[in-house]
Amino acid sequence: MTRPLHHRLLLVQHRDDLHRQLREALEALGVIVLSIDDSTEALRCFREDDIDIVMIDIDLPDCQGITLLDDMAADPRELPLICVSRRESLADVLSAVRHGATDYLMLPPESADVIRHAINRAVERCELKRENLAYRHKLEAANRELLESLTHLQQDQQAGKHVQQLLLPDTPKDIEGYQFCHFILPSLYLSGDFVDYFLVGDDRAVFFVADVSGHGASSAFVTVFLKNLFARKRSDYLHRGSTAILSPAKMLAIANRELLEMGIGKHVTMCVGVFDLNCDQLCYAVAGHLPAPVLACDGQAEFLPEHDMPVGLFSDAAFTDHMICFPSGAVLTLFSDGILEVLQRDSLKEKEEALLALLSVGQRSSSELVTAFDLNNIGDAPDDIAILVISRL
C-alpha cells in the first residue's frame, strides 16, 4: 500500500477543470491543499501560513506566475517550488528553472504516480539544498572561527617574539676588550635558538649558544628557561659565592638535570664558554652542538675539539671543561645547525670545509656573516639560524 504524502501544499492556479483534476489528484495522495488563484493572496499565504510545498501555474496572465516564483524563491526557507503548465515548451521549463523552480510538471498529469514522483523529487532536492546551505553556513562559521583563532595565535606569537627579543643581549656589546655580537633568524615567529653573554664579577665573561629541538612556542619556552637558569646562577655567584656559573660543564649538568625534571620532551645542543679576562683564557664545554665552534686566528680557522652529549636526553650524561688560550685578534664564531641548511654543498664535510674557508679570512661581526650568507634575503628559513661572534679587540 502506498503511503500518503501528508504535505501542506499551496496551489496557485486558476479554478478550472484542470485545477479541479490536479487538486483531486493531490488530495488522493494525502496532500492537504490550500488553493488560491490570486497572486497577492498567494504570497501572503506563502509567508504566513504553515506550508511545506508550493505549486505555481506559470500560465497565469501578465507573467504573475513567474513574478510570484521569483518572490518565493528568495525566501530563506528554501521551500520546494513546483511549476505547472499546460504548454509543452522547453523555453517555459528553462525560464521556470532560472527563476527558482525546483521542478516542473505538465498538465494534465499522466497519473498520480507522476505527481507523487514530482513532489518527492522536489522535496528531496530542497532538503539537499537546505543541507548544503546549512553545511556551507557551518563551514563559513568554522572558517571565521579558524581565522579569528589564527589571528589571535598570530598576535600571541608576535607578542611572544617581542618578549623573546627583549631577552636577547645588546648587539654588538663590548666587555673588557672583547666584542660580542649576534644574529638570530627564526623559521617561525618564535625561535628555538638563543644566545646570551654577560659579565660575571669583574673578570669573567660568560656566553652560551643553545639550539632547542623542534620549533615554535614549546622550544621558545626552553630558551626562556635557559636564560633564567644562567641569570639565577649569576645571581648565586654574586650573592652566595657559588662558582657554578664559572664552569661550563657544571652549567650544562644543571641544565641537563632540570630539563629532564621538567619532562617536556625537549633536548638542547649547547656551547657554553667563560672568558677569564685577566689572562685571556677560554674555558668551554660543547654539548652535542653542530657545527662546532670555530676559532680563527692569523688566517687559520679550526673547529674546537672535545664534544659531549646534548642536554636533556640522558640523566647520566657527563660534561667536561676544556681550556684554551685566546690570543689578541682571535675570533670565535658559533652557529646553530640551521646554517648548514643554507650552505649549497652536498655533504656535511663539504659544508664544514666551506665554513672554515669563509671564517679563515677573519669576519669579525655577525652582520658580516649575514651578508656573506645572504640571510636577509631568505624568504622562509628551513630552520632557525643563530650566529654568535666573539672577537678579542
Side-chain angles (χ1 to χ4, degrees):
M1 180 178 179
T2 304
R3 295 176 58 185
L5 295 178
H6 297 304
H7 292 297
R8 287 176 58 84
L9 183 144
L10 173 62
L11 176 60
V12 186
Q13 187 183 28
H14 280 310
R15 291 186 171 91
D16 54 16
D17 288 341
L18 279 179
H19 166 77
R20 179 180 54 78
Q21 293 175 22
L22 180 57
R23 176 168 184 164
E24 290 176 353
L26 289 168
E27 291 175 340
L29 293 172
V31 175
I32 300 172
V33 180
L34 286 73
S35 179
I36 298 176
D37 60 0
D38 176 74
S39 60
T40 301
E41 179 63 17
L43 189 57
R44 184 203 63 78
C45 180
F46 172 79
R47 291 171 174 169
E48 298 178 5
D49 289 359
D50 184 18
I51 58 175
D52 306 314
I53 192 168
V54 181
M55 279 190 176
I56 304 175
D57 190 344
I58 62 171
D59 295 329
L60 294 176
D62 301 324
C63 297
Q64 293 181 57
I66 291 295
T67 302
L68 193 58
L69 180 60
D70 277 332
D71 292 335
M72 292 182 175
D75 190 275
R77 292 173 294 173
E78 299 283 352
L79 295 182
L81 304 175
I82 301 176
C83 287
V84 297
S85 175
R86 297 163 176 80
R87 302 192 304 267
E88 293 186 9
S89 168
L90 178 59
D92 287 345
V93 174
L94 294 177
S95 176
V97 172
R98 282 197 300 269
H99 287 274
T102 311
D103 212 329
Y104 195 92
L105 182 65
M106 294 300 303
L107 296 179
E110 297 178 5
S111 66
D113 288 338
V114 172
I115 299 175
R116 175 189 292 275
H117 179 68
I119 290 176
N120 287 338
R121 184 170 56 190
V123 170
E124 289 173 0
R125 286 177 178 175
C126 282
E127 286 179 350
L128 181 60
K129 187 175 182 179
R130 283 193 292 266
E131 289 175 2
N132 288 338
L133 184 62
Y135 176 75
R136 188 180 70 187
H137 289 162
K138 184 177 180 180
L139 184 60
E140 289 173 351
N143 285 337
R144 285 194 299 271
E145 292 177 3
L146 178 60
L147 181 60
E148 290 174 2
S149 297
L150 288 175
T151 300
H152 291 317
L153 178 61
Q154 187 179 51
Q155 291 171 346
D156 289 344
Q157 294 276 315
Q158 289 173 336
K161 179 180 180 180
H162 179 66
V163 171
Q164 192 176 39
Q165 289 176 335
L166 291 177
L167 295 176
L168 290 167
D170 294 337
T171 182
K173 183 175 183 179
D174 293 340
I175 302 178
E176 303 296 333
Y178 288 77
Q179 184 182 76
F180 295 76
C181 55
H182 73 268
F183 171 84
I184 292 182
L185 176 65
S187 59
L188 301 174
Y189 284 101
L190 298 173
S191 175
D193 289 356
F194 197 78
V195 304
D196 201 6
Y197 37 82
F198 46 86
L199 184 65
V200 176
D202 297 324
D203 54 4
R204 298 289 196 281
V206 176
F207 68 88
F208 72 85
V209 173
D211 184 354
V212 184
S213 61
H215 304 280
S218 60
S219 297
F221 168 78
V222 178
T223 68
V224 176
F225 153 72
L226 293 172
K227 171 77 174 184
N228 177 264
L229 171 63
F230 277 77
R232 283 190 287 121
K233 294 307 175 182
R234 181 191 186 195
S235 178
D236 288 346
Y237 173 81
L238 297 175
H239 301 292
R240 301 180 183 178
S242 171
T243 59
I245 190 68
L246 303 182
S247 169
K250 288 182 180 179
M251 290 303 299
L252 289 173
I254 295 170
N256 186 64
R257 183 183 69 249
E258 294 193 9
L259 195 57
L260 286 172
E261 289 174 352
M262 291 166 63
I264 58 175
K266 290 288 183 178
H267 68 272
V268 189
T269 65
M270 295 183 67
C271 178
V272 182
V274 178
F275 284 102
D276 186 328
L277 304 177
N278 291 323
C279 59
D280 296 310
Q281 287 189 326
L282 169 63
C283 179
Y284 73 91
V286 180
H289 200 73
L290 186 72
V294 178
L295 178 63
C297 187
D298 296 329
Q300 299 292 323
E302 61 181 4
F303 292 111
L304 294 185
E306 308 295 342
H307 293 190
D308 299 314
M309 297 298 295
V311 169
L313 283 178
F314 305 105
S315 60
D316 59 349
F319 305 96
T320 307
D321 286 332
H322 305 279
M323 193 76 68
I324 61 171
C325 292
F326 203 80
S328 178
V331 180
L332 182 67
T333 306
L334 303 98
F335 301 95
S336 64
D337 62 2
I339 198 66
L340 300 175
E341 299 292 333
V342 300
L343 287 174
Q344 302 300 314
R345 301 292 189 276
D346 294 329
S347 67
L348 175 59
K349 181 179 179 181
E350 290 174 337
K351 292 180 179 183
E352 290 179 333
E353 290 174 350
L355 280 179
L356 292 178
L358 176 65
L359 297 175
S360 65
V361 300
Q363 278 85 355
R364 304 183 65 86
S365 71
S366 56
S367 59
E368 291 176 348
L369 292 174
V370 168
T371 301
F373 291 112
D374 199 24
L375 297 182
N376 284 328
N377 294 320
I378 292 180
D380 295 322
D383 195 2
D384 300 331
I385 299 174
I387 302 175
L388 172 61
V389 180
I390 308 167
S391 58
R392 184 179 168 193
L393 301 177

